[in-house]
Amino acid sequence: MMEANQTMVTEFILLGLSESWEVQLFIFLFFLVLYVASVFTNILILSAIFSDHHLSDSPMFFLLGQLAFLDLCLPSFAIPNFFDFLSEHHVISFHGCMAQIFFLHLFAGSEMLLLIAMAYDRYVAISHPLRYATLMNRHHCVGLGLASWAGGFLHATVQLGFIINAPFCGPNQVDSFFCDLPLVIKLACTDTYLLEVMMITNSGIMSLVCFIGLLLSYGFILYTIHSRSASERSTKAASTCTSHLIVVTMYFGPIMFIYLCPSTMLMIDKVLDIVSLFITPLLNPTIYALKNKEMKAALGSLLSRLSGQVSTQSHPHH
């Protein structure tokens, strides 16, 4: 009877990052600039890779293309709520909120596993160079990509399965600019202890174990490089691994803080959300492009072709 008398929540109110409209406007413009820059950069990376057969046939660049695609998807799921920043009330439907949670964990979980696949690719290239072509052929690369998406889908489904069945009957204000699991869990009309334990186990511990595993694997790769004689060392390999380590640290740092410390919802959590959703997807391709000569050459070639097409269209032959 009590459950029948409870009014179930049909929508959530997003409180944003500030109560001031002027500050919200500034944040909206800041996010928009970051998002447009991220989309442009990642599309440029994808175009450079898949317009150059030499790069698209390379396992490392094939996986980098997958990363650029995920970095396009990750900030895009929050975009519909951007424009609500300019209105007085930022409302999202219950199903819209659940969809945001699902897609956040789908893309974030897939990217987490893809970074492991990229670490494996570098391990094989540096530790077993003679077997690299066999171990990292196109079928294996596609398999690693599909496994990343499948793992992300499973992770997102488990997270959604717990939260979507929780009763929401009272408070409906989410203290952020999008729906995320640590915030929505607090609004459930039940003891949230078990839900928070589930979240920490599924997201926090998973990301911590993956992060430690990736640090150890890249540490082993760098040790392998430095243990070789000076003539056998490859500064290119060390440089590539260093750039991978930077990306891994930037990606996992905010996630682990948010999910391993869910009870401390401070402004720092909101800042880390911005970093993981908007700044990391912009910096990922930038780091790879700046650290890799082949990628810089491909980008230069693509931009020169595009500028040539633009100049041809603007000055047609008579």
Side-chain angles (χ1 to χ4, degrees):
M1 281 298 290
M2 272 186 71
E3 287 187 18
N5 291 332
Q6 286 179 344
T7 305
M8 301 309 289
V9 168
T10 58
E11 63 185 26
F12 292 99
I13 298 169
L14 303 175
L15 299 181
L17 296 173
S18 172
E19 294 178 5
S20 163
W21 189 87
E22 290 79 7
V23 175
Q24 289 279 56
L25 178 62
F26 172 77
I27 291 168
F28 168 76
L29 294 172
F30 176 66
F31 277 4
L32 200 59
V33 169
L34 282 178
Y35 178 71
V36 170
S38 177
V39 167
F40 174 76
T41 312
N42 282 295
I43 287 176
L44 205 58
I45 294 283
L46 279 168
S47 303
I49 290 172
F50 292 104
S51 64
D52 185 324
H53 292 299
H54 172 65
L55 290 187
S56 61
D57 290 339
S58 159
M60 184 176 80
F61 288 106
F62 176 79
L63 294 172
L64 178 56
Q66 299 282 321
L67 181 68
F69 180 72
L70 281 167
D71 282 334
L72 267 177
C73 296
L74 195 57
S76 297
F77 86 97
I79 281 294
N81 299 109
F82 272 16
F83 299 100
D84 288 341
F85 278 18
L86 303 179
S87 62
E88 191 176 345
H89 298 290
H90 326 308
V91 177
I92 184 171
S93 70
F94 177 83
H95 293 296
C97 186
M98 294 299 112
Q100 269 197 340
I101 289 171
F102 177 81
F103 284 110
L104 167 74
H105 289 278
L106 170 65
F107 299 136
S110 300
E111 187 160 327
M112 198 182 293
L113 296 171
L114 184 68
L115 290 171
I116 293 172
M118 293 174 80
Y120 173 72
D121 169 70
R122 290 301 83 207
Y123 167 75
V124 174
I126 290 159
S127 300
H128 304 285
L130 298 179
R131 298 176 61 200
Y132 182 68
T134 308
L135 291 173
M136 291 301 296
N137 60 38
R138 179 44 62 98
H139 290 300
H140 290 170
C141 281
V142 171
L144 287 170
L146 289 175
S148 300
W149 280 97
F153 181 80
L154 178 64
H155 166 67
T157 304
V158 170
Q159 295 287 65
L160 189 66
F162 279 96
I163 193 68
I164 203 166
N165 293 319
F168 292 94
C169 55
N172 68 337
Q173 294 188 335
V174 180
D175 189 16
S176 188
F177 58 96
F178 72 104
C179 280
D180 194 13
L181 199 53
L183 309 177
V184 178
I185 275 180
K186 297 181 191 304
L187 304 178
C189 300
T190 183
D191 182 5
T192 61
Y193 176 75
L194 285 176
L195 287 174
E196 292 197 14
V197 168
M198 174 279 302
M199 179 188 70
I200 290 170
T201 304
N202 197 359
S203 286
I205 303 298
M206 176 184 169
S207 58
L208 181 63
V209 169
C210 289
F211 179 60
I212 292 170
L214 283 165
L215 286 183
L216 289 173
S217 65
Y218 279 118
F220 178 74
I221 290 169
L222 290 170
Y223 173 77
T224 304
I225 293 167
H226 287 290
S227 64
R228 291 174 178 169
S229 63
S231 59
E232 289 181 312
R233 281 183 199 167
S234 169
T235 51
K236 178 184 169 185
S239 175
T240 302
C241 287
T242 306
S243 66
H244 280 221
L245 270 172
I246 293 168
V247 168
V248 164
T249 306
M250 283 187 343
Y251 179 73
F252 280 95
I255 290 175
M256 287 189 297
F257 186 90
I258 292 165
Y259 286 94
L260 290 173
C261 310
S263 58
T264 56
M265 187 54 207
L266 308 170
M267 180 50 79
I268 184 107
D269 289 40
K270 295 184 179 183
V271 171
L272 291 173
D273 278 331
I274 295 168
V275 169
S276 60
L277 281 176
F278 296 98
I279 296 176
T280 304
L282 172 61
L283 290 181
N284 278 357
T286 310
I287 289 169
Y288 281 108
L290 290 174
K291 298 285 281 185
N292 190 282
K293 288 180 182 177
E294 290 170 282
M295 178 55 74
K296 282 194 279 191
L299 284 171
S301 173
L302 177 67
L303 289 171
S304 64
R305 285 203 306 272
L306 290 173
S307 61
Q309 288 175 4
V310 170
S311 62
T312 303
Q313 288 174 2
S314 60
H315 302 290
H317 297 295
H318 295 290

